[in-house]
Amino acid sequence: QYLQLGASNPDATGEFHKNTMISYLGRINYSFMDKYIITANFREDGSSRFAKGNKWGFFPSVSGAWVITNEDFFPQDIILNYLKLRMGYGQIGNQNIENNAYIDQVRNTYRYPFGNLLATGLATYAPGNRNVKWETTEDFSIGIDGGLFNNSLTWTVDLYMRKTNDMLLKNPVPGYSGMYSSPTDLNSGIWDNVGSIENKGLEISLEYRGNIGELKYRVGGNMSFVKNEITELGTVDFITSANVRGLGDISRSEVGSSVGRFWGYKTSGLFQSQAEIDAYKNKDGELIQPKAKPGDLKYIDRNGDGQITDTDKAWIGDPLPTFTAGFNINLEYKGFDLRAYFNGVCGNDNMDA
């Protein structure tokens, strides 16, 4: 147990946390004449963070490959000297929740008047959920590997779909329970399996290696594209981010959209003068932005109610890039080597706070 110092409170308190996990792993590999390759994995995980009946999760995976260039019918005197098709499916689990999330947790720091005395009592501050279970991510992928010019030029293409089911999130509890809970706050509520997210993507990589005299070189690049979508959020319509520098909730995640898209007021430029501010009025002749100064942003009254409120907010950007790319180069000359790596993203928006 770890005691707190009690600098402002004379009562010495402390906390002790413990969790355990055990895993069983198994793998089977089979290869026939280096043409047909099969791999199967078996994994079973047990966690103390779940109640009896939900402690264990079973997560299998299987993959297969066909090396076409090793077939007798494949010609050996062509530019393409290596070609392999791959396919795989697998699952992985997540148990990242609070310890004892399935048990109602109580505190004795609540005080109430009892006659002429101030008594200390116990009260539930965090409700438990014995039905919460492992979060599961399943992945299905198809890929192809190739080599040209005696494998001087190699390339890989992967197409995948990854879906996370039974996401571990906090679900809001009814107000009549007496416990604090916000429908959009991830830090309040009861742990539950309440959501799912789907990712679909394409990854491409290319590398060329060769030499010029004693100079050996290797140059490669890669690109990836991904589409992210929330498909379920339990009983809530959306989840917001934390307040950033007094700007309020700057991002929102909701069903049908990607994770963490920027949410805020749309603008139509800057106020160029006081006269422009005075001219920005509602139908009653009142200023829509009475505290604005020349040079301030001009916010759009989207719902037409004559004032700027949270109901005027909308999607204003997406932090997820359209694609990511990377480039690397490796040079070797007489025992010396030089390596350089570059990467970048395109199509994403940044929040300037």
Side-chain angles (χ1 to χ4, degrees):
Q1 190 170 14
Y2 306 97
L3 296 179
Q4 299 173 355
L5 294 178
S8 60
N9 189 334
D11 296 333
T13 61
E15 295 179 352
F16 177 77
H17 301 282
K18 178 181 179 180
N19 67 79
T20 58
M21 182 175 175
I22 186 172
S23 300
Y24 298 98
L25 307 174
R27 171 175 292 182
I28 298 175
N29 292 317
Y30 177 76
S31 176
F32 180 72
M33 299 180 65
D34 291 330
K35 299 178 183 179
Y36 316 108
I37 305 168
I38 297 177
T39 301
N41 296 283
F42 309 92
R43 174 170 185 156
E44 188 164 20
D45 296 319
S47 172
S48 63
R49 292 180 172 177
F50 302 105
K52 184 178 180 180
N54 292 319
K55 289 185 179 295
W56 293 92
F58 180 65
F59 310 106
S61 65
V62 61
S63 62
W66 177 28
V67 184
I68 302 175
T69 44
N70 286 346
E71 294 286 358
D72 295 336
F73 62 78
F74 196 88
Q76 302 298 316
D77 57 349
I78 62 174
I79 296 176
L80 178 64
N81 57 275
Y82 184 76
L83 185 64
K84 179 171 73 173
L85 296 178
R86 297 177 283 103
M87 182 180 295
Y89 171 83
Q91 296 181 348
I92 191 68
N94 174 32
Q95 49 105 39
N96 189 21
I97 59 175
E98 297 171 356
N99 295 328
N100 304 316
Y102 62 92
I103 300 175
D104 288 343
Q105 300 180 51
V106 298
R107 283 178 177 167
N108 63 349
T109 56
Y110 300 96
R111 292 177 172 83
Y112 63 96
F114 186 77
N116 296 324
L117 300 175
L118 187 62
T120 300
L122 297 171
T124 301
Y125 75 94
N129 179 11
R130 299 189 64 84
N131 295 319
V132 66
K133 60 183 180 180
W134 283 85
E135 173 184 295
T136 302
T137 298
E138 55 183 357
D139 186 290
F140 175 75
S141 63
I142 299 176
I144 182 170
D145 303 328
L148 302 171
F149 311 114
N150 198 28
N151 285 333
S152 294
L153 177 63
T154 57
W155 46 272
T156 298
V157 178
D158 282 286
L159 185 66
Y160 68 88
M161 181 177 70
R162 183 175 300 121
K163 187 170 184 179
T164 300
N165 299 306
D166 298 323
M167 282 174 50
L168 292 169
L169 296 173
K170 282 193 173 181
N171 223 0
V173 295
Y176 58 74
S177 67
M179 287 168 281
Y180 168 76
S181 179
S182 168
T184 60
D185 185 359
L186 287 177
N187 295 315
S188 67
I190 179 174
W191 281 105
D192 203 354
N193 302 96
V194 295
S196 60
I197 293 180
E198 187 174 87
N199 290 281
K200 298 178 181 179
L202 173 68
E203 297 179 347
I204 303 172
S205 64
L206 187 70
E207 183 179 83
Y208 184 81
R209 64 185 67 188
N211 67 283
I212 302 176
E214 295 186 56
L215 175 65
K216 298 179 181 179
Y217 62 88
R218 188 170 63 202
V219 181
N222 60 80
M223 294 183 66
S224 64
F225 305 81
V226 62
K227 179 182 178 182
N228 172 271
E229 182 182 357
I230 301 172
T231 56
E232 184 185 350
L233 276 179
T235 60
V236 300
D237 296 324
F238 60 87
I239 297 173
T240 58
S241 71
N243 189 315
V244 177
R245 296 189 181 181
L247 299 176
D249 300 319
I250 65 170
S251 69
R252 173 182 287 199
S253 302
E254 67 178 38
V255 175
S257 75
S258 57
V259 174
R261 291 177 64 190
F262 292 125
W263 179 259
Y265 299 110
K266 290 193 172 184
T267 64
S268 59
L270 304 176
F271 286 115
Q272 302 299 317
S273 64
Q274 185 62 44
E276 186 177 350
I277 297 173
D278 295 338
Y280 193 35
K281 300 178 180 180
N282 58 26
K283 61 182 179 180
D284 297 324
E286 299 172 339
L287 295 181
I288 294 179
Q289 289 183 241
K291 296 182 179 181
K293 303 293 182 182
D296 287 349
L297 291 170
K298 182 179 181 180
Y299 297 113
I300 298 175
D301 179 20
R302 294 183 61 250
N303 62 0
D305 64 355
Q307 53 186 339
I308 304 300
T309 63
D310 283 347
T311 57
D312 295 309
K313 290 184 176 181
W315 301 117
I316 58 174
D318 191 342
L320 298 181
T322 303
F323 70 88
T324 61
F327 174 78
N328 63 83
I329 183 171
N330 189 344
L331 304 176
E332 296 182 19
Y333 182 75
K334 292 185 176 181
F336 295 91
D337 65 88
L338 173 66
R339 300 181 184 183
Y341 302 90
F342 307 89
N343 60 76
V345 297
C346 180
N348 63 307
D349 298 300
N350 295 317
M351 180 69 181
D352 185 4

